Amino acid sequence: KAGVTQTPRYLIKTRGQQVTLSCSPISGHRSVSWYQQTPGQGLQFLFEYFSETQRNKGNFPGRFSGRQFSNSRSEMNVSTLELGDSALYLCASSFQGAHEQYFGPGTRLTVT
Amino acid sequence: DQQVKQNSPSLSVQEGRISILNCDYTNSMFDYFLWYKKYPAEGPTFLISISSIKDKNEDGRFTVFLNKSAKHLSLHIVPSQPGDSAVYFCAASEASSNTGKLIFGQGTTLQVKP
């Protein structure tokens, strides 16, 4: 069974720009969660989508948004990028969300 | 407010010995706990989990213990191998709420010396 895939793997953007990251979950998984990993804050939950609906949201500003498509693929968008948004963005999929989540390799975003 | 804490940033053990990684939590609503291993430039890999209705779960060399009264869990790796060298994260969730929100600790870097 193929694992979670994320594209792109690396991205360099300039302050003020916006970015869209993509995540394809494991086949059959309906829940996709997004996390931000930074050296100072560790792994922080951004939001979770289940059956195209945002089911939970972490403590991040509205510049961070996401969506999920009918095939369970998910995208997250960050608008008006700030230097502090530089991080590894990880998505994880699970069958229903509440238990084991399986992570993709992440997208390394650098904002200059 | 850090709800899940791993107080030891690093741990070094000799190959073949036991590695014990610890994790504390403060939220009594957490009812499902997981351990992940992470290598640089990769996503976390799921290792083992435990529900709050149990106090122990084993999977090969990995055993997780849960002490609900102390709000403490630990991961035991026996015997430790050099390939176990990685960052280990514990995570917790309110599984009964059925949402995919995991709260992670800050991680412990394990080094297993040959």
Side-chain angles (χ1 to χ4, degrees):
Chain A
K1 200 186 251 189
V4 177
T5 58
Q6 291 187 246
T7 56
R9 291 294 310 276
Y10 302 92
L11 208 48
I12 300 175
K13 289 286 188 179
T14 304
R15 270 182 302 176
Q17 288 186 314
Q18 74 162 12
V19 67
T20 299
L21 312 180
S22 181
C23 173
S24 292
I26 292 170
S27 177
H29 285 186
R30 296 162 65 191
S31 167
V32 174
S33 297
W34 288 89
Y35 296 85
Q36 180 195 65
Q37 185 182 22
T38 58
Q41 296 296 319
L43 272 150
Q44 306 263 300
F45 173 78
L46 280 156
F47 31 66
E48 183 223 4
Y49 285 86
F50 182 84
S51 293
E52 302 178 65
T53 301
Q54 187 180 87
R55 195 160 65 168
N56 209 335
K57 190 176 191 308
N59 190 23
F60 279 83
R63 300 185 297 107
F64 292 81
S65 62
R67 58 178 175 167
Q68 187 180 35
F69 303 95
S70 58
N71 62 357
S72 294
R73 190 178 70 84
S74 177
E75 289 181 346
M76 70 163 280
N77 183 277
V78 188
S79 62
T80 319
L81 284 165
E82 301 177 359
L83 293 178
D85 297 333
S86 295
L88 180 66
Y89 290 88
L90 293 155
C91 84
S93 78
S94 64
F95 183 65
Q96 284 194 330
H99 298 99
E100 289 79 6
Q101 296 182 13
Y102 297 90
F103 283 81
T107 294
R108 171 70 63 185
L109 172 66
T110 302
V111 182
T112 61
Chain B
D1 174 31
Q2 204 163 347
Q3 299 183 71
V4 178
K5 294 180 185 179
Q6 294 176 255
N7 291 317
S8 298
S10 62
L11 175 68
S12 182
V13 300
Q14 211 62 39
E15 181 179 6
R17 306 295 286 269
I18 183 172
S19 295
I20 300 176
L21 297 101
N22 294 303
C23 180
D24 298 297
Y25 62 96
T26 57
N27 188 341
S28 58
M29 298 299 291
F30 289 149
D31 55 7
Y32 204 80
F33 304 89
L34 309 93
W35 284 93
Y36 286 85
K37 177 170 74 173
K38 188 178 185 303
Y39 294 117
E42 293 183 13
T45 301
F46 169 73
L47 277 175
I48 192 169
S49 60
I50 187 167
S51 163
S52 60
I53 62 172
K54 295 184 174 183
D55 54 19
K56 178 182 173 182
N57 189 26
E58 278 183 87
D59 184 1
R61 297 186 297 115
F62 302 92
T63 302
V64 57
F65 295 92
L66 175 62
N67 182 333
K68 290 186 291 294
S69 61
K71 294 192 176 66
H72 177 83
L73 63 154
S74 60
L75 174 68
H76 293 209
I77 307 173
V78 184
S80 301
Q81 300 172 353
D84 296 330
S85 298
V87 180
Y88 288 78
F89 292 94
C90 69
S93 73
E94 295 179 39
S96 53
S97 69
N98 204 29
T99 66
K101 177 179 180 179
L102 295 180
I103 305 298
F104 283 85
Q106 293 291 87
T108 296
T109 300
L110 173 65
Q111 182 186 28
V112 180
K113 297 179 180 178

